[in-house]
Amino acid sequence: MAPEITTGRLLLRDWRESDVEPLHSFYLDPQSAEIYGSAKTTRSDVWRRVGLIIGHWQLRGFGPWALEDRQSGHFAGYCGLWFPEGWGDIEIGWGIAPEFRRLGYAAEAAERVRHYGYRERGLERLVSYIDPENKASIRVAEKLGAVPDGEFLLRDKVLTVYLHTKQ
């Protein structure tokens, strides 16, 4: 389904059932729960989310990849293109497992996803929807050269749209 892509430190790959447990831990992490509102997320909820992601790949032909640290083989998070029904634009989204945060993995993965979207898929516009309180994701977007380009309302929350320029 999803093509495998590598970066210097990461393997962007298809999802596996074995990713459910580390993704569940990601959502239960206090920093993640603050951003995603997921402190009560169950393992079953996460299993269904993985199924949703796989379905997104089937319906759209693109989606989020599972990130695997190439050195350790451990699940490091996710990154990819997201465009569910009702979304304004195709989004580059990411989430990094706590043990891999602050190592530049989000920017490394998102830069490769941006390249995939613009150059390999020929997409015209890519954005990231970011909560103004999510300073870490804002830093990633800015590191990639993305610029604020309006607002997007998601579940009664106003997010800043960061437009990713073609590189």
Side-chain angles (χ1 to χ4, degrees):
M1 292 188 1
E4 282 195 352
I5 296 175
T6 58
T7 67
R9 299 177 293 169
L10 296 168
L11 171 64
L12 286 69
R13 61 161 173 78
D14 233 342
W15 290 83
R16 305 176 185 147
E17 192 162 0
S18 60
D19 296 326
V20 171
E21 192 58 43
L23 186 59
H24 184 224
S25 294
F26 165 82
Y27 282 115
L28 294 180
D29 172 73
Q31 185 177 343
S32 298
E34 185 176 316
I35 294 165
Y36 300 102
S38 56
K40 296 181 182 179
T41 300
T42 67
R43 191 177 190 287
S44 295
D45 294 332
V46 174
W47 189 91
R48 284 187 289 279
R49 285 182 192 181
V50 170
L52 176 69
I53 292 168
I54 293 168
H56 189 283
W57 274 99
Q58 285 294 314
L59 293 171
R60 299 285 193 209
F62 56 80
W65 283 268
L67 301 179
E68 183 177 302
D69 176 65
R70 290 176 61 190
Q71 184 175 5
S72 68
H74 293 147
F75 177 86
Y78 65 86
C79 186
L81 302 172
W82 190 242
F83 190 55
E85 182 68 27
W87 233 236
D89 289 294
I90 299 172
E91 180 184 20
I92 300 174
W94 55 81
I96 304 298
E99 61 270 29
F100 293 101
R101 289 180 184 152
R102 290 177 277 295
L103 299 174
Y105 279 28
E108 184 174 327
E111 181 176 35
R112 183 60 181 93
V113 167
R114 180 183 62 197
H115 176 88
Y116 175 82
Y118 280 139
R119 294 193 183 160
E120 296 175 43
R121 293 299 309 258
L123 300 173
E124 291 299 315
R125 180 176 160 91
L126 297 172
V127 304
S128 291
Y129 299 123
I130 302 177
D131 184 320
E133 300 300 313
N134 186 346
K135 303 304 183 198
S137 281
I138 291 169
R139 282 192 301 275
V140 171
E142 290 174 345
K143 182 176 182 179
L144 294 171
V147 295
D149 188 50
E151 295 178 337
F152 182 71
L153 185 64
L154 179 65
R155 295 183 209 93
D156 298 323
K157 191 169 201 173
V158 177
L159 305 177
T160 304
V161 177
Y162 280 83
L163 176 63
H164 292 273
T165 57
K166 292 183 181 182
Q167 301 278 323

